[in-house]
Amino acid sequence: MKNFFPEVRQVIRYEGADSKNPLAFKYYDADRIVGGKTMKEQLNFSLAYWHTLKGTGADIFGAGTYKRPWLQNNDPMKDAEDTVYAAFEFISKLGIPYYCFHDRDIAPEGETFAESCKNLEKIVAIAKKLQGETGTRLLWGTANLFSHPRYTHGGGTNPDAMTFAWACAQVKNAMDATLTLGGENYLFWGGREGYETLLNTNYGREQDQLARFLHMAVDYKKKIGFKGLFMLEPKPHEPSAHQYDFDSATVLGFLRKYDLLDYFRLNIEANHATLAGHTFEHELTVATADGKLGSVDANIGNPQLGWDTDQFPTNLYDAIKAMMVILKSGGFTNGGLNFDAKPRRGSTDTIDLFHAHIGAMDTFARGLLIADKIISDGELDSFVKERYSTFDSGFGADIMKGKSSFDILEKIVLENGEPDMKSGRQEMLENLINQYI
Ligand code: XUL
Ligand code: CO
């Protein structure tokens, strides 16, 4: 068998914070128990097939800069076979438990739809064998409904019924592949489900279509007995100027309106949160407030650039705050932390893939350790609890029990006058977080 990463001869190990070995974990100690589970189970790390294996380093101003040894056959199916072996070699050497893919990442589109399906089946069979040999699992599968020109005006929201049919047929096969591979989840990211101009767009019809598309997916899920979860991944724009799945709140409202809420959770991507003008922990919090956090695409953007730069997450503050939300919601059930991230264009070597993943895994491992300590010490939580305590008894409790009214509250105001001014102590709390680092 080919060896695509000869520079890494053994599995990456935990060596502790004092290690000077760049190819070792400083914080990610897979079997260490944190918050009642192993680090491996709390974090459920996952590799993103499209970036890690298929990324070329190309950007809108220039061609690819990486020369991946598994993409050199001048034959898309041979490349696909080499790539699946390279993926599992990488996964095994890194000790990462999960991976995610789009149908077209793992197998190329054929001349006809039938040929595309055959290509997919062939690679899925190899992936299944390699999953068995390595113990790797599929976090989620999805269909790429955005790269091929036929989806220029959308998949499920396309104004043309034939293109809509193609989107459904493609998702059907991607769901079959996910079922075959025992996927924990199936994902819908609305790649081109959005619009460029309202001059040619019927917004209401496209919303109704998207709901029909998702309802048919639910029907098919039931038909084939797929037990994994369905997820939607919010993003505000890019590639469309206006993406329908703008942010967590928008998606939850859409799901409620169309009676889809019971069937879906959210996959929150950090860089999408920042593009929507939110923080990562805001989007996670909105999802968990509805009990709808499914999984996470862990990456960061670049504040100077303002587009979806999909960088590996190295920001410890973000990781701590995200892990606090995730742990407080009870941790992942079917989800995990998927590195939807790519090395920079100038990070040209295959070894850079190891550095990138090791750094990201260590960032979240450290974030987990710190978040767990902050939560178990309880200082922050007790501050927040105290802040709302006037709603825990007296007329405050009556309000929330539905036992109050504007008349009653007006009487209370007339009798008691101005409320007390109470500091939110933001700086004190920020200092508290810093003390844990
Ligand atoms: C695009 C993005 C996708 C989804 C899967 O911004 O995040 O890769 O995660 O389709
Ligand atoms: Co993503």
Side-chain angles (χ1 to χ4, degrees), residues 282-298:
H282 168 91
E283 285 294 86
L284 291 168
T285 301
V286 174
T288 56
D290 243 325
K292 288 291 171 192
L293 177 63
S295 198
V296 168
D297 275 6

Side-chain angles (χ1 to χ4, degrees), residues 174-196:
M175 281 174 64
D176 289 344
T178 305
L179 176 72
T180 304
L181 294 171
E184 304 281 336
N185 307 276
Y186 183 86
L187 177 86
F188 296 83
W189 166 58
R192 293 192 191 270
E193 314 299 7
Y195 68 88
E196 295 300 317

